[in-house]
Amino acid sequence: MSLVQFLRILAARKAIILATLLACFLAATITVQLLPERYEARNRVLIDLTKPDLLGSGPMSSQAISSYISTQIKLIKDVQTAGLVVDQLGWTADPSYQASFDAAGRPGGDIRDWLAQRIVDNTEANFVEASSIIEISYRGNDPASTQGIAQAIREAFLKMNRDQKVSNAQRSAASFEEQARRALAEVTKAEEARTQYAKANGIVLQAGNIDLESSKLTALSSASAAPSAPQVIPGRQSDPQVAMLRQQIEAAKQTLGPNHPQLQAMQRQLTAMQSASGGGGSVIGGTSRAEIEGAYQAQKARVLAQADKIDRLNQMQSDIAVKRDQYQKLAAKVEDAKASAMSETLMEPMGNTNLPDEPVWPNKPLVIFGSIALGLVLGVLLALLVELLARRVRSEDDLEFATGAPVLAVVGQKRDDNFLVAWGRRIIDREGASRRRALAEA
């Protein structure tokens, strides 16, 4: 079928095209007058990602931020959020909504969930590109009620976000508290085991977890390395061994009982040293280097004899230090979780909810022009269908197409083509002339 034939069909069936176009136009006009107007209220929520998350491990990655925002958008359109809006507006107690629910024919259903789903169906939430803003929109039949519902949706979303944050922080705090309690029990148990081991092996620990025998060896080593023997100061007790022994006795009293053999031996040694110096509290003369060296070697032998026990005790002390560090970290997490429950959320409202002044639906210009375009397309298709069902010969081109034979002459031809056919002929003639010139030049 050529372009001229197609245009002749349209010209012949123009009544069908015009009728279809007019029908679509009238239907669209009546429809936009009957459809209820829909208003749209919008508000925004700002996500402040610069605030620190006390329970987080550091700044969020881009993928984590995208996932977080997507979750918040889905939460806005969740039935739980819409349920809070229903409760806030008191719809479940409204007789009109109760009648609508009964008319919907849902016996045994929950009117709160039904109303919440209606809110969800009219709610949209989108992320504003190149920003940290979520835009919430709600469509309703009345400007004032639409604004109120949109505002209630944002408030319900922010409330749910705060409650969820507090709930997560409280659960985390409870979990960390339980772990800290167990860690503290492990520390206490390890310290008791260390103390029992020290008592069972006669090891006295001083401040800094240094055993008494090693402390003695250190003191004797310092004394043997001194350039000269200690000098006697009249009226004062200046013997370093006596002073050191007194310190050891005081330290031993904190871990050993008063009847412990080692403690009693140390007290008898102190008494003997004081008697040898001429009475309690009197001054003794300097000790020779040979005596100090002998005492040092004897003390060294005692320390080496219990070296394996001291190593075991040091291992127990290292284990206590590790467990105490774990407990301190868990205790810090407990405090962080409690502080997170008291801190602000990452969400905050941005501006006010707008009061819509013009309906967003139906869009009358769009519907009218769309109906005209639809009517034109449907009219053309219907005209072609009718033509195919009742094909006619309207020109020599149709005769050639129907018979498959060339037309040699046309007798009594009368040019009654309309402007569409004439326009088509001019296009065809122009294309034919171009082809003939191209062939002549070749």
Side-chain angles (χ1 to χ4, degrees):
M1 182 183 295
S2 65
L3 177 61
V4 174
Q5 289 177 296
F6 176 74
L7 294 177
R8 281 200 178 100
I9 292 173
L10 296 184
R13 304 294 183 179
K14 59 181 176 295
I16 296 176
I17 298 174
L18 292 176
T20 306
L21 178 62
L22 183 60
C24 290
F25 175 76
L26 292 176
T29 303
I30 296 173
T31 301
V32 296
Q33 297 299 327
L34 296 179
L35 285 176
E37 294 181 338
R38 303 282 290 172
Y39 295 86
E40 186 176 72
R42 298 173 179 270
N43 53 44
R44 292 185 171 188
V45 175
L46 175 64
I47 305 177
D48 190 358
L49 298 175
T50 61
K51 291 181 179 179
D53 186 2
L54 296 177
L55 294 180
S57 58
M60 290 190 294
S61 62
S62 300
Q63 183 177 1
I65 291 175
S66 177
S67 176
Y68 177 78
I69 293 177
S70 299
T71 302
Q72 301 308 313
I73 290 176
K74 292 181 180 179
L75 185 61
I76 293 173
K77 298 188 62 177
D78 191 77
V79 177
Q80 294 183 1
T81 304
L84 296 178
V85 177
V86 173
D87 297 337
Q88 180 179 348
L89 299 177
W91 283 2
T92 55
D94 192 330
S96 61
Y97 288 109
Q98 184 65 48
S100 300
F101 177 71
D102 296 336
R106 300 185 60 182
D110 189 351
I111 185 174
R112 183 177 182 271
D113 293 342
W114 181 72
L115 292 171
Q117 187 60 47
R118 290 181 59 180
I119 294 176
V120 171
D121 293 340
N122 295 297
T123 303
E124 289 294 334
N126 298 293
F127 173 63
V128 180
E129 294 294 337
S131 67
S132 299
I133 299 174
I134 295 177
E135 186 174 66
I136 304 172
S137 61
Y138 178 80
R139 290 191 175 186
N141 299 327
D142 178 71
S145 63
T146 301
Q147 181 191 31
I149 295 174
Q151 180 68 22
I153 292 173
R154 183 171 69 174
E155 293 176 356
F157 166 66
L158 294 175
K159 180 180 182 300
M160 178 169 288
N161 191 273
R162 288 192 299 268
D163 294 344
Q164 184 179 15
K165 183 175 185 296
V166 171
S167 177
N168 291 339
Q170 289 176 347
R171 286 197 299 267
S172 298
S175 175
F176 289 143
E177 282 182 347
E178 177 63 21
Q179 297 178 36
R181 186 187 62 80
R182 291 197 297 265
L184 181 59
E186 291 292 331
V187 172
T188 304
K189 181 179 178 181
E191 289 179 343
E192 291 178 353
R194 180 200 61 181
T195 302
Q196 293 296 330
Y197 183 83
K199 288 183 178 181
N201 293 276
I203 301 174
V204 181
L205 294 177
Q206 295 179 312
N209 297 314
I210 301 176
D211 65 286
L212 182 61
E213 298 299 331
S214 297
S215 178
K216 289 181 181 180
L217 181 62
T218 302
L220 290 173
S221 176
S222 301
S224 63
S228 60
Q231 302 296 322
V232 177
I233 303 175
R236 297 180 60 186
Q237 185 174 333
S238 59
D239 190 345
Q241 290 187 353
V242 175
M244 182 185 67
L245 188 57
R246 287 182 179 277
Q247 294 177 359
Q248 295 171 356
I249 291 174
E250 293 298 327
K253 288 181 178 180
Q254 297 179 4
T255 57
L256 302 178
N259 297 324
H260 196 278
Q262 186 174 356
L263 180 60
Q264 292 180 351
M266 292 169 62
Q267 290 175 342
R268 288 194 297 270
Q269 183 181 359
L270 177 61
T271 303
M273 292 175 66
Q274 291 176 345
S275 299
S277 62
S282 62
V283 181
I284 62 174
T287 306
S288 65
R289 184 174 297 275
E291 292 176 348
I292 294 177
E293 184 64 26
Y296 170 75
Q297 294 298 331
Q299 187 64 29
K300 182 178 179 180
R302 284 194 295 270
V303 170
L304 292 176
Q306 59 179 8
D308 55 340
K309 298 178 180 178
I310 298 299
D311 290 342
R312 173 58 181 163
L313 202 63
N314 291 333
Q315 292 177 1
M316 298 175 72
Q317 183 60 35
S318 299
D319 183 60
I320 291 173
V322 172
K323 292 181 177 179
R324 184 179 288 109
D325 181 67
Q326 293 176 350
Y327 164 72
Q328 291 174 351
K329 290 180 179 179
L330 290 171
K333 289 184 177 181
V334 171
E335 296 301 324
D336 289 344
K338 291 181 178 179
S340 178
M342 301 298 295
S343 63
E344 298 179 357
T345 64
L346 301 178
M347 305 285 182
E348 60 182 30
M350 184 178 179
N352 299 321
T353 304
N354 71 302
L355 179 63
D357 51 357
E358 294 183 358
V360 296
W361 177 260
N363 190 335
K364 294 182 179 180
L366 178 63
V367 174
I368 296 300
F369 286 111
S371 67
I372 293 174
L374 179 63
L376 185 61
V377 173
L378 289 178
V380 171
L381 294 178
L382 186 59
L384 292 175
L385 178 62
V386 172
E387 182 68 19
L388 291 176
L389 294 177
R391 194 75 171 91
R392 294 183 181 183
V393 176
R394 292 189 172 86
S395 65
E396 62 274 17
D397 297 330
D398 293 340
L399 185 60
E400 288 182 352
F401 182 77
T403 60
V407 176
L408 300 178
V410 177
V411 179
Q413 181 183 18
K414 182 180 179 181
R415 290 290 180 180
D416 58 350
D417 291 340
N418 56 24
F419 75 96
L420 287 176
V421 178
W423 174 70
R425 282 187 177 278
R426 284 197 298 271
I427 294 177
I428 293 176
D429 293 341
R430 189 181 299 113
E431 291 179 353
S434 299
R435 286 197 297 269
R436 285 193 296 273
R437 283 196 302 271
L439 291 174
E441 291 175 356

